[in-house]
Amino acid sequence: MNWISCRLIYYNVDIVTILSDDVVLNAQQITLSATVALLLVIGAAPLLAMFAASLTIDGTLSLMYYQALVSSRRAWTLLGQSLTLSSLTALCGTTIGVPLGILLGKTDLPLKHLFVVLFTLPLLLPPYFLAVAWSHVLGREGWLSEMAGGSLAEMGSAGLFGLRGSVLVLTTVFMPVAMLLTMAYLKTVDPRLEEAGRLVARWPRVLYGITLPMIRPGLAWGALLVFLLAVGEFSVPMYLRYDVFPVEILTQFSAFYDFGAATAAAVPLALLTVTVLIGEERFSGAPRQAMRGFMGAAEGSLIRLGAAGTGWLTGVGLVCVVLVILPLGGLVLQTSPSDYVEALNRGGDSLLHSLVYAASGATLLTLLGFFCGYLIHTHALRAWRWVDFLTLLLLVLPSPVIGIGLIGLWNRPATDWIYGTPMMILLGYMAQYLALTSRTTAAALAQIPASMDEAALVTGAGWFRRLLTITAPLAGPGLLAAWLVAYIFCLRDTGIAMLVYPPGHDTFPVRIFTLMANSPEGLVAALCVLMMMATLLPLAPLGLVMKRWSRVP
Amino acid sequence: MMAVGFQDVSKHYRERPAVTEFTLQVQPEERLVLLGPSGCGKTTVLRLLAGLIAPDHGHIAINDEVVAMDGRNLKGPEARALGMVFQDLALWPHLTVRGNLEFGLKAQGVPAAERQARIYKTLGLMQLQGYAEAWPGDLSGGQQQRTALARALVLSPKLLLMDEPLSSLDFELNFQLRKELLRLQRELRFTLIYVTHNLEEAFDIATRIVVMKDGRIERIGDVSEIRAHFQQLLYQSAATANGDDTSRLPCPP
């Protein structure tokens, strides 16, 4: 498409002729088709390349890697352990997350906004931070073990390393997913339906009989998401010495340099994810994307805790202390000023890399996510379902699977100009985290009345003009939120960066992960605290901007 | 005994006053219509009475018992023994017609056999026999309206609140359901408080009409008084706008 046709599209000509007079496409279709093509290159092609590579040995078709995998008793054991760990994490995460979501999203519990931030904190950090933090509390030399002393310390340490500790840490990390989804879905329930129930019943019965059944698909989706995120997590079980299947992929790749075997090992996890997602799509009672906003719940739909508020506050406070303040506070207390100086000396360059890559990745993700979100919201192309499914699949795929796929696709002489650069990290971010920005954008667009765009349409404005001057500004707070979420997830990423970073470009979480094994505890704790600050610092000013933005009528 | 009493009730939403110094008494079995333009506070009055929100000042009584005063609801909505039909009906989409009716009965601890009897009696009353297992989404507009009314009446309330329940219906269905509502009110003898901005609906249903404006009561009277008031307004309007078409009734101010 040349410059003139671009200008035409921007101003008032929606239909442009390209290639020949016979082929007439409109600007919207061209742009969205290009978005889908880009998504296929970034997200689908690595998976296909990975699958193809696992089926060939020295250029000939072979199932040898799969035969070796299927006949390996260790692989089955690891798969079983992975499923056990993720199932227990999903169970615990949902059991804690759903009641917390109701308390924080539906009641007048004091300090609820502070609790939301505190409970969400572990999700914003690389998962293994929590494992490190817990080891500083319950480990053999942890402060709680030292305080308890003797056999109690032994018990704490033994409990932390292995399945129980992995479940505890992963529950802390992924429970906020169930909590936040519960809060979000609660806002989709029409307050009138609850008020109609309140006329005849008390709140517990209304919650049980009206509210929760209506958001049941959302709650199930939360549990499933926790399961899928936990099944792909390797850093926590690795640190806590509980062998799981994703570690096998890393081992085959990093320790044995056997790319084919690593790829074959990645396929079962990819298949498991696809199967679970398809199953959920088939059997869920209501489509996930049908979230309708009744933001700013009506006064009548707020549960007033009254005299019981103090009791609930104490309970939630205790859970918060145990799950968040104890481990993360313990981590901060382990550090001294000299540790921070040492931490900056050892990891300052990678911290800078992380900030630059996370900001760049978030910007690219917001841009691509905007068009994907627009497509998902408007259903402008038939492919919208596939786009939604593919982005979601990529989000929940274990990161080593995506990392292996990216290496398989780009590690060839013709594309070495990409493979040897930090572009690989950005491609990885864009592949894995696109669902975060596309879904946030789609949700933001759903809040804009269709009449806004229609009013611009009748003035004769073309699609690009409407998109840039009406839709995007109206979705501004949503886009900013999308950038923020993408920034946090890019910054905390360990799995993709660990596999694809070019020499000299490691990110901060990767540097910490490698330093962790042989560094003093104070230094590791200081590195983790620096990472927390890098994650949280941009949240405050951006939060203020969003608050001010949301006040604009 | 008063069925409903408001005494100097005020309610603000953030800075904006919704209802100001609202004082009103409603007699048992009366059919009172709150009439006024959008945003005049009619729905707020209904929600205050239902206990869905609390008044900032003043007190509200039902059957001479104070149920809310000065920022507090002394009785929760479920304890006020009233029925309410919402403007958007608020039928629970995940429950069948029977489920919608049964929810409140279960909450009140009504035994299973009695529940079934009351559900079928009410469905019969509302001409919804055969629809007990239907989903709200599968019903026509009129059937949904009847289901919402049945859900409110199945608990045999002495006070029924209706928030513009017929506003989305075509004229014929609206007229038909109005007649049914009047029949039911005479039969079941409940007090009715009905919110609308439609003059014809108000004149048809009410025994007394409260005209509201900007959160305050502008005028109270029986149907003939309010009709005369609006005719007077029409006359003044016609007199000032010489030559204009005055054959259509204007909306109330």
Side-chain angles (χ1 to χ4, degrees):
Chain A
M1 198 167 26
N2 60 28
W3 182 86
I4 294 172
S5 51
C6 279
R7 298 288 294 177
L8 284 171
I9 293 164
Y10 183 79
Y11 284 105
N12 53 12
V13 183
D14 236 4
I15 307 294
V16 289
T17 305
I18 59 163
L19 302 177
S20 76
D21 290 342
D22 303 329
V23 184
V24 179
L25 294 169
N26 75 39
Q28 186 187 31
Q29 284 177 331
I30 294 167
T31 312
L32 296 179
S33 301
T35 304
V36 174
L38 193 59
L39 175 63
L40 291 176
V41 171
I42 292 171
L47 298 183
L48 293 174
M50 178 189 78
F51 188 58
S54 71
L55 292 171
T56 53
I57 295 177
D58 297 330
T60 54
L61 197 67
S62 169
L63 291 174
M64 204 189 80
Y65 291 126
Y66 290 99
Q67 282 166 350
L69 190 72
V70 171
S71 59
S72 160
R73 203 170 163 180
R74 180 177 153 74
W76 286 107
T77 309
L78 292 180
L79 195 60
Q81 296 195 166
S82 269
L83 292 177
T84 308
L85 174 61
S86 42
S87 303
L88 287 174
T89 304
L91 182 70
C92 296
T94 312
T95 309
I96 301 171
V98 171
L100 272 180
I102 294 169
L103 277 166
L104 300 177
K106 197 76 194 154
T107 71
D108 62 349
L109 185 83
L111 305 175
K112 60 180 179 177
H113 299 297
L114 176 68
F115 280 126
V116 172
V117 173
L118 285 174
F119 279 120
T120 310
L121 200 55
L123 182 67
L124 310 182
L125 301 170
Y128 68 82
F129 274 35
L130 268 294
V132 174
W134 271 110
S135 74
H136 285 215
V137 179
L138 284 178
R140 210 174 289 271
E141 289 167 14
W143 60 268
L144 201 64
S145 302
E146 281 180 2
M147 270 169 62
S151 57
L152 274 177
E154 284 294 324
M155 271 174 60
S157 178
L160 179 64
F161 288 91
L163 176 63
R164 274 177 291 178
S166 299
V167 171
L168 168 72
V169 173
L170 288 184
T171 298
T172 312
V173 173
F174 295 127
M175 179 279 288
V177 172
M179 181 190 84
L180 294 172
L181 275 177
T182 304
M183 290 172 68
Y185 274 91
L186 282 173
K187 283 189 175 174
T188 67
V189 178
D190 186 345
R192 297 283 170 277
L193 299 177
E194 292 172 327
E195 286 173 359
R198 279 292 286 123
L199 293 175
V200 291
R202 288 176 175 277
W203 260 118
R205 187 177 279 269
V206 174
L207 267 180
Y208 182 74
I210 308 290
T211 313
L212 293 182
M214 292 193 68
I215 62 165
R216 197 181 291 142
L219 302 183
W221 170 236
L224 210 60
L225 204 52
V226 173
F227 172 85
L228 290 172
L229 290 170
V231 89
E233 173 49 36
F234 66 91
S235 62
V236 170
M238 211 167 163
Y239 184 83
L240 296 175
R241 292 170 217 155
Y242 182 71
D243 291 338
V244 288
F245 201 77
V247 178
E248 180 71 5
I249 306 170
L250 278 179
T251 310
Q252 292 292 347
F253 180 72
S254 314
F256 302 119
Y257 301 105
D258 191 342
F259 184 75
T263 307
V267 169
L269 282 187
L271 287 178
L272 174 72
T273 310
V274 172
T275 311
V276 171
L277 277 184
I278 289 175
E280 195 271 341
E281 194 86 28
R282 274 283 155 84
F283 297 112
S284 76
R288 288 183 305 274
Q289 56 269 16
M291 280 182 66
R292 228 177 108 200
F294 287 96
M295 301 305 187
E299 189 183 332
S301 71
L302 188 75
I303 303 174
R304 301 197 180 280
L305 296 173
T310 318
W312 284 111
L313 178 66
T314 313
V316 173
L318 274 175
V319 176
C320 187
V321 166
V322 171
L323 287 186
V324 184
I325 294 174
L326 201 65
L328 293 182
L331 203 63
V332 176
L333 290 177
Q334 286 276 322
T335 59
S336 66
S338 61
D339 289 326
Y340 289 103
V341 176
E342 179 67 8
L344 282 174
N345 285 336
R346 304 272 292 268
D349 58 331
S350 62
L351 177 60
L352 195 65
H353 294 155
S354 271
L355 293 174
V356 172
Y357 300 155
S360 312
T363 307
L364 291 170
L365 278 165
T366 307
L367 193 65
L368 188 58
F370 176 71
F371 288 106
C372 286
Y374 183 90
L375 175 59
I376 292 167
H377 170 65
T378 58
H379 304 181
L381 298 179
R382 275 189 207 161
W384 75 269
R385 260 182 213 284
W386 287 104
V387 168
D388 196 30
F389 183 79
L390 181 61
T391 53
L392 201 58
L393 170 68
L394 290 163
L395 177 69
V396 292
L397 264 185
S399 51
V401 175
I402 293 180
I404 293 283
L406 284 170
I407 294 168
L409 181 67
W410 300 103
N411 185 16
R412 45 193 87 217
T415 53
D416 205 33
W417 58 277
I418 290 179
Y419 185 70
T421 68
M423 269 296 288
M424 285 299 287
I425 299 176
L426 296 182
L427 283 172
Y429 289 164
M430 287 170 75
Q432 179 126 54
Y433 303 122
L434 186 58
L436 297 174
T437 52
S438 65
R439 291 239 161 172
T440 310
T441 305
L445 293 176
Q447 304 296 320
I448 303 172
S451 56
M452 299 282 168
D453 186 57
E454 289 161 1
L457 179 65
V458 295
T459 66
W463 183 70
F464 268 122
R465 174 175 278 255
R466 299 197 313 271
L467 200 67
L468 295 179
T469 57
I470 305 292
T471 311
L474 286 173
L479 296 179
L480 191 60
W483 189 92
L484 209 58
V485 172
Y487 168 81
I488 287 167
F489 274 77
C490 291
L491 197 65
R492 80 192 269 282
D493 174 83
T494 314
I496 289 176
M498 188 175 279
L499 283 170
V500 303
Y501 77 88
H505 289 276
D506 58 341
T507 59
F508 201 47
V510 172
R511 179 74 62 88
I512 301 173
F513 198 72
T514 45
L515 284 174
M516 219 161 52
N518 302 310
S519 301
E521 286 192 344
L523 173 64
V524 175
L527 286 163
C528 292
V529 173
L530 283 178
M531 177 72 197
M532 275 196 261
M533 286 164 66
T535 307
L536 295 179
L537 274 181
L539 293 184
L542 282 171
L544 283 176
V545 171
M546 283 185 74
K547 204 168 182 180
R548 181 174 290 185
W549 206 333
S550 66
R551 277 189 196 146
V552 176
Chain B
M1 188 179 78
M2 289 291 166
V4 170
F6 284 85
Q7 189 64 49
D8 290 328
V9 170
S10 296
K11 176 70 185 173
H12 285 68
Y13 290 123
R14 295 196 179 150
E15 299 302 307
R16 192 175 60 83
V19 170
T20 311
E21 293 168 5
F22 190 87
T23 298
L24 177 73
Q25 275 83 42
V26 184
Q27 302 294 332
E29 297 178 36
E30 187 176 357
R31 296 194 303 272
L32 182 98
V33 169
L34 295 174
L35 181 70
S38 299
C40 71
K42 314 180 294 281
T43 298
T44 302
V45 170
L46 233 51
R47 290 168 62 77
L48 283 164
L49 187 54
L52 297 170
I53 50 176
D56 298 333
H57 302 289
H59 71 256
I60 301 168
I62 296 177
N63 296 329
D64 291 335
E65 183 190 0
V66 176
V67 291
M69 68 185 299
D70 298 338
R72 287 187 305 137
N73 273 327
L74 306 176
K75 258 190 164 184
E78 78 285 354
R80 297 190 181 192
L82 48 80
M84 184 164 176
V85 180
F86 292 80
Q87 185 174 8
D88 58 1
L89 305 184
L91 291 174
W92 300 309
H94 64 296
L95 299 178
T96 58
V97 169
R98 180 211 299 274
N100 267 273
L101 268 65
E102 198 168 29
F103 181 83
L105 292 168
K106 274 186 180 171
Q108 313 264 315
V110 177
E114 191 187 335
R115 281 203 306 263
Q116 296 315 310
R118 282 171 72 171
I119 287 170
Y120 281 101
K121 185 184 166 200
T122 312
L123 288 178
L125 208 61
M126 300 307 304
Q127 297 161 20
L128 282 168
Q129 304 97 321
Y131 290 96
E133 305 310 325
W135 297 97
D138 296 335
L139 299 175
S140 69
Q143 288 166 340
Q144 288 183 355
Q145 218 83 27
R146 286 197 187 95
T147 306
L149 191 52
R151 185 177 69 181
L153 293 178
V154 76
L155 292 165
S156 312
K158 284 285 147 206
L159 173 61
L160 181 66
L161 313 180
M162 300 186 83
D163 186 5
E164 304 197 39
L166 309 179
S167 59
S168 61
L169 299 181
D170 61 63
F171 176 78
E172 199 177 326
L173 198 53
N174 183 317
F175 183 76
Q176 188 190 337
L177 284 172
R178 253 187 275 157
K179 295 296 153 211
E180 281 184 36
L181 177 63
L182 290 174
R183 173 181 64 83
L184 286 167
Q185 197 269 340
R186 277 192 289 268
E187 205 173 315
L188 303 174
R189 302 176 64 180
F190 50 80
T191 309
L192 175 67
I193 300 185
Y194 189 101
V195 159
T196 185
H197 59 261
N198 184 310
L199 273 178
E200 192 195 321
E201 238 177 82
F203 293 153
D204 200 16
I205 287 170
T207 48
R208 193 158 60 114
I209 296 174
V210 174
V211 181
M212 289 186 67
K213 189 180 179 187
D214 299 333
R216 294 173 186 273
I217 293 176
E218 195 185 51
R219 186 170 292 269
I220 304 181
D222 61 24
V223 173
S224 57
E225 283 169 343
I226 300 298
R227 196 191 295 272
H229 165 67
F230 281 110
Q231 278 170 348
Q232 177 69 21
L233 282 178
L234 181 65
Y235 174 78
Q236 285 170 355
S237 167
T240 49
N242 248 343
D244 282 2
D245 176 14
T246 57
S247 60
R248 292 167 60 193
L249 278 174
C251 280

